[in-house]
Amino acid sequence: MNIASLYAPVHIEESTVVGEHCVFGYPKEARLRAQQKGSGSTSSGEPVVVGAHCVIGNQVVVHEGVWIGANCVIEDRVRIGYNCVVGERTRVAYGAYVCDRVAIGVDACVAGFVCDGTTIGDRSTMMGDLVHEYARPHEGWWEVDEEPPMIEADSVVGYGARVVGGVRIGPRSYVAAGAVVTRDVAPDHVVTGINVHVPAERWRGRRLQGLIRHWQALAKTDRL
């Protein structure tokens, strides 16, 4: 089977730099399976658009239907699944695995693993794993569409942290490295350990005080 014939059309702005051994417009599994069975359409997939002044590293795989805004950096060995949106000036860090239908805001930084359908807000940093509960493994892989996490604007998910299921991380919240979150986090909170939530204004750890003051300034601006 000629897989290349199924690749989606790709538009990359001339000012964007693309590294070696990259793939753009890789087809959805459903279209590949249909082609194997001889029932596939000859039409191309959903287009890929990469904005101006981006830097795309080496061995990056971008599936069909992806939109990448201007001035983004996609580091080496990143995978971006189908129908994802990456906002302007966002960095997707080395080796990140971004599943399908993920929406990432502007000025964000994303690493680790991001499950299907996740939303990551503007100016957020995500260095951990955002995963489904995977509570129905007895059902077919494509028949289950579990609720994904949502990371709201100006929040941080630290390295090795794990957010499980349809959890909402409120704006201006910090999930510490290695923490596990299985329930919603209110705005302006710090989470450590397993679901230990502390209001940011009560947090006494020295290293987060600069970030907390920044959040407080943002909150005042939002109220104006």
Side-chain angles (χ1 to χ4, degrees):
M1 181 174 65
N2 182 11
I3 295 178
S5 67
L6 297 177
Y7 279 30
V10 177
H11 175 77
I12 300 175
E13 291 288 343
E14 290 185 5
S15 57
T16 283
V17 176
V18 178
E20 297 183 348
H21 308 297
C22 294
V23 175
F24 292 90
Y26 193 84
K28 298 177 182 178
E29 181 179 324
R31 291 206 301 121
L32 290 172
R33 291 297 190 188
Q35 194 72 13
Q36 283 179 321
K37 297 175 182 178
S39 58
S41 170
T42 57
S43 62
S44 59
E46 299 171 65
V48 172
V49 176
V50 182
H53 305 293
C54 292
V55 176
I56 310 294
N58 302 308
Q59 298 178 329
V60 171
V61 177
V62 177
H63 287 237
E64 65 175 276
V66 170
W67 185 90
I68 298 174
N71 296 291
C72 287
V73 176
I74 311 298
E75 296 185 5
D76 296 351
R77 298 189 177 185
V78 166
R79 184 266 194 192
I80 301 177
Y82 72 79
N83 297 128
C84 288
V85 174
V86 181
E88 295 182 351
R89 300 177 302 279
T90 283
R91 177 180 293 269
V92 184
Y94 178 90
Y97 194 100
V98 180
C99 292
D100 307 324
R101 308 185 317 277
V102 171
I104 303 172
V106 302
D107 297 306
C109 181
V110 175
F113 182 91
V114 183
C115 67
D116 292 343
T118 296
T119 299
I120 298 174
D122 297 343
R123 301 174 302 280
S124 288
T125 299
M126 205 301 292
M127 307 299 287
D129 295 323
L130 308 179
V131 300
H132 292 125
E133 288 184 320
Y134 198 54
R136 293 146 61 190
H138 57 290
E139 300 182 28
W141 183 263
W142 293 111
E143 282 67 46
V144 177
D145 195 9
E146 295 185 353
E147 188 176 358
M150 174 178 286
I151 312 301
E152 297 198 49
D154 301 297
S155 290
V156 176
V157 177
Y159 183 79
R162 182 161 294 176
V163 180
V164 182
V167 169
R168 180 185 294 266
I169 307 297
R172 303 175 303 277
S173 289
Y174 188 97
V175 178
V180 176
V181 181
T182 60
R183 64 172 189 257
D184 289 351
V185 177
D188 302 290
H189 273 64
V190 176
V191 182
T192 61
I194 301 177
N195 290 322
V196 179
H197 298 207
V198 178
E201 62 185 11
R202 298 182 188 172
W203 183 257
R204 296 296 175 258
R206 177 174 53 84
R207 284 178 292 183
L208 290 184
Q209 292 307 313
L211 178 60
I212 291 170
R213 287 193 295 271
H214 173 67
W215 284 342
Q216 291 168 342
L218 287 177
K220 289 179 182 178
T221 301
D222 290 343
R223 288 194 292 267
L224 294 178

